[in-house]
Amino acid sequence: MAHYDLIVRNADIATVGDRYRADIGVKGGRISAIAQDLEGSATRELDAAGRLVTPGGVDGHCHFDQPTSDGSKFADDFETGTRSAACGGTTTVLPFALQQRGHSIQAAVDDYHRRAEGKACVDYAFHLIVADATKDVTQRELPQLIEKGYTSFKIYMTYDDLKLGDRQIIEVLATARRHGAMTMIHAENSDCIAWLTEQLLDAGLTAPRYHAASRPMAVEREATHRAIALAELIDTPILIVHVSGREAVEQIHWARGRGLPIHAETCPQYLFLSAEDLGIDENDPMHGARCICSPPPRDKANQQFIWNGLSSGLFTIVSSDHAPFNMNGPDGKRVAGDDASFDRIPNGIPGVETRLPLLMSEGVMAGRIDIHRFVELTATNPARLYGLYPRKGTIAVGGDADLVIWDQFAPGEEITIRNDMLHHAADYTPYEGMKLRAWPATTVSRGRLVWHDGRFDAAPGSGLFLPCLRPRAPRDGNPLEKWL
Ligand code: DUC
Ligand code: ZN
Ligand code: ZN
């Protein structure tokens, strides 16, 4: 009779395509059997007792221990970031190895491996940030790195030390096409932001809430359209990251109508936060800084548009864009002082642990999306998009045993989010006080119970680096052919 390392019995398994009751047998970190009344013994058995079991979350966009240019420091390194991920049901994370201008991407990759090694508690892969798209980078380095399993890159249309011009974006897209990689695009118009920021500062409008005014929807809409046009020109798929509201959604909808392979990501901050959260004072002029991220949260009507895009199929993935900076201390949100103008406050909010519970509670249990769409957005599609499927992102024999067993609560018995119950190193959560109807009871990462009974249990360094497959076949021909 078979012996397993772990059997999860009576699981109510949900994948993109199926929902059924079964036992899951795990051997050597992989799922080796799924059956009703699975025969065999196990070193450890868990009775899921009819509880919902979904694939471990794949967070396709988070920032840990990333170098910064303003003296600020990310609150989470690989240890605390992946610990937080595990406790929130995420078993695979994809942070970013950031190229510094004038340096190679390989140097960034080597540095980022040093930051992750001995620290990561769940599995991880790297996206690359291309900040200096020289010929050497697009024609030599990127192809070599793609070959080694770094098959996705993020490019920025804003931020002075990161942004690429249209010509450089085209070069990167052409490389992605030729070598079968995925390009993620941060779409905001840099010049518009610079001009608006100058006007606001000249008028003395410097408080955190003017961050939203400096990056209105038109700024994101224009850049989203331009990114789509460049991708159409080169005839290659792209992913527009952190889509914040209606006007960007409309551009993506338009592109899909033209048959273009434009993928879209959104994040919980665009479902649950609004520009008003940047304006709350509470006797601390910096209070609103906690919700400063880019693009900024919009308003309730835009939140509804994002929900609609989740249920309609417009969005491909939901990621956290976890980018944590402490509210207290000298190297977080206050790095430029207690009364710094909005443009000098580090951008980003924590969210790697709350991503899945927020979406399970307010998406699935509130009836806005079904459980299959939840799995698709939070695990299966990010794994597919970044070349990790089917090892990650589903519950299937042969795949890694990455699972979430859910606690679900009746109305009136909700769990209240408090920062001190979270496992990141950030000193706040923007979701403080929210009541949720779901939270992971157990997270299984390659067969290990990394979060169980309210306890985190994974050694730093036990997470594996995952080289990614190419998301698509490389394409030889000249994209120009289409236009001749
Ligand atoms: N915006 C980004 O583009 N990256 C990190 C955080 C943020 O707000
Ligand atoms: Zn971004
Ligand atoms: Zn980001």
Side-chain angles (χ1 to χ4, degrees):
M1 206 166 18
H3 184 80
Y4 299 94
D5 302 327
L6 171 72
I7 297 179
V8 180
R9 298 228 179 252
N10 301 308
D12 175 9
I13 297 173
T15 64
V16 170
D18 296 299
R19 181 149 184 191
Y20 57 100
R21 186 84 152 246
D23 302 336
I24 303 168
V26 176
K27 243 190 233 177
R30 301 222 164 187
I31 297 176
S32 69
I34 302 177
Q36 267 146 11
D37 306 316
L38 181 67
E39 288 188 11
S41 56
T43 307
R44 181 155 196 185
E45 288 215 8
L46 275 188
D47 186 4
R51 280 195 278 184
L52 191 57
V53 177
T54 56
V58 178
D59 194 338
H61 183 162
C62 45
H63 304 266
F64 303 143
D65 198 10
Q66 195 174 291
T68 62
S69 53
D70 61 358
S72 64
K73 193 170 176 321
F74 279 83
D76 281 312
D77 62 10
F78 272 85
E79 182 174 343
T80 59
T82 55
R83 177 181 74 194
S84 186
C87 299
T90 289
T91 50
T92 305
V93 293
L94 288 105
F96 298 84
L98 182 152
Q99 180 196 21
Q100 311 277 358
R101 291 241 170 98
H103 296 265
S104 70
I105 305 188
Q106 186 65 55
V109 168
D110 294 343
D111 172 60
Y112 217 43
H113 274 295
R114 281 191 292 272
R115 291 170 190 250
E117 270 157 24
K119 291 204 160 189
C121 306
V122 298
D123 297 348
Y124 60 99
F126 292 167
H127 301 300
L128 309 174
I129 290 176
V130 184
D132 202 358
T134 60
K135 264 208 163 22
D136 185 54
V137 163
T138 56
Q139 295 185 2
R140 185 188 63 80
E141 265 216 293
L142 283 177
Q144 281 179 1
L145 284 161
I146 292 166
E147 190 68 38
K148 290 188 206 161
Y150 308 89
T151 61
S152 49
F153 13 96
K154 183 176 180 190
I155 56 177
Y156 288 80
M157 298 170 88
T158 188
Y159 295 132
D160 286 343
D161 52 341
L162 298 174
K163 71 180 178 195
L164 302 186
D166 291 353
R167 173 64 196 262
Q168 295 167 307
I169 295 174
I170 287 170
E171 302 287 358
V172 172
L173 292 176
T175 299
R177 179 186 198 273
R178 214 174 301 123
H179 297 277
M182 175 56 65
T183 309
M184 311 159 75
I185 303 191
H186 178 129
E188 289 184 293
N189 181 311
S190 181
D191 286 334
C192 294
I193 294 168
W195 187 81
L196 286 163
T197 300
E198 200 174 280
Q199 303 305 304
L200 289 161
L201 297 182
D202 283 353
L205 305 176
T206 60
R209 70 196 183 94
Y210 296 106
H211 172 75
S214 74
R215 310 172 99 98
M217 202 67 233
V219 162
E220 186 181 343
R221 186 226 307 149
E222 185 282 329
T224 301
H225 183 88
R226 189 154 34 101
I228 290 167
L230 300 180
E232 180 178 8
L233 193 75
I234 302 301
D235 191 16
T236 194
I238 54 169
L239 171 91
I240 307 286
V241 292
H242 42 53
V243 171
S244 73
R246 173 179 184 157
E247 295 182 32
V249 165
E250 286 171 350
Q251 296 304 311
I252 292 155
H253 187 71
W254 173 84
R256 293 268 178 81
R258 289 169 72 84
L260 302 175
I262 306 299
H263 299 287
E265 171 199 80
T266 194
C267 316
Q269 44 273 41
Y270 305 115
L271 295 166
F272 301 104
L273 302 179
S274 75
E276 282 177 28
D277 293 307
L278 274 60
I280 301 167
D281 189 323
E282 289 186 3
N283 304 319
D284 175 4
M286 280 295 278
H287 189 83
R290 64 184 50 220
C291 293
I292 285 192
C293 59
S294 293
R298 307 291 178 186
D299 62 13
K300 291 255 178 284
N302 277 293
Q303 290 176 0
Q304 187 55 49
F305 255 86
I306 300 293
W307 279 116
N308 294 349
L310 293 182
S311 58
S312 72
L314 181 123
F315 284 106
T316 318
I317 61 174
V318 173
S319 311
S320 67
D321 198 3
H322 180 82
F325 294 96
N326 282 328
M327 280 298 290
N328 298 309
D331 55 10
K333 292 280 188 182
R334 295 178 203 268
V335 67
D338 281 349
D339 53 2
S341 53
F342 64 83
D343 58 316
R344 302 176 68 207
I345 298 172
N347 281 210
I349 59 171
V352 72
E353 190 165 350
T354 42
R355 177 184 71 121
L356 293 184
L358 283 167
L359 207 63
M360 177 62 84
S361 175
E362 301 313 296
V364 179
M365 296 183 73
R368 293 180 171 108
I369 56 171
D370 71 22
I371 185 63
H372 306 291
R373 185 78 178 122
F374 170 89
V375 171
E376 184 172 49
L377 288 163
T378 59
T380 311
N381 275 354
R384 282 184 178 138
L385 206 55
Y386 301 128
L388 293 168
Y389 186 86
R391 176 172 183 185
K392 301 292 186 186
T394 191
I395 298 175
V397 171
D400 280 355
D402 291 356
L403 308 167
V404 187
I405 305 174
W406 287 91
D407 269 340
Q408 293 176 298
F409 312 110
E413 294 172 9
E414 296 92 346
I415 186 169
T416 303
I417 300 181
R418 300 282 177 220
N419 194 53
D420 60 13
M421 71 189 231
L422 300 179
H423 299 79
H424 57 202
D427 60 6
Y428 79 99
T429 167
Y431 307 110
E432 184 80 27
M434 260 187 88
K435 291 185 186 311
L436 296 190
R437 292 188 52 202
W439 203 265
T442 301
T443 306
V444 181
S445 161
R446 277 183 290 103
R448 307 169 298 149
L449 274 52
V450 292
W451 168 246
H452 183 60
D453 272 347
R455 266 195 67 235
F456 169 72
D457 184 14
S462 59
L464 293 181
F465 172 71
L466 306 165
C468 296
L469 303 171
R470 288 181 169 85
R472 281 181 336 283
R475 302 214 4 232
D476 274 344
N478 189 334
L480 258 188
E481 280 160 15
K482 185 172 160 184
W483 304 96
L484 295 175

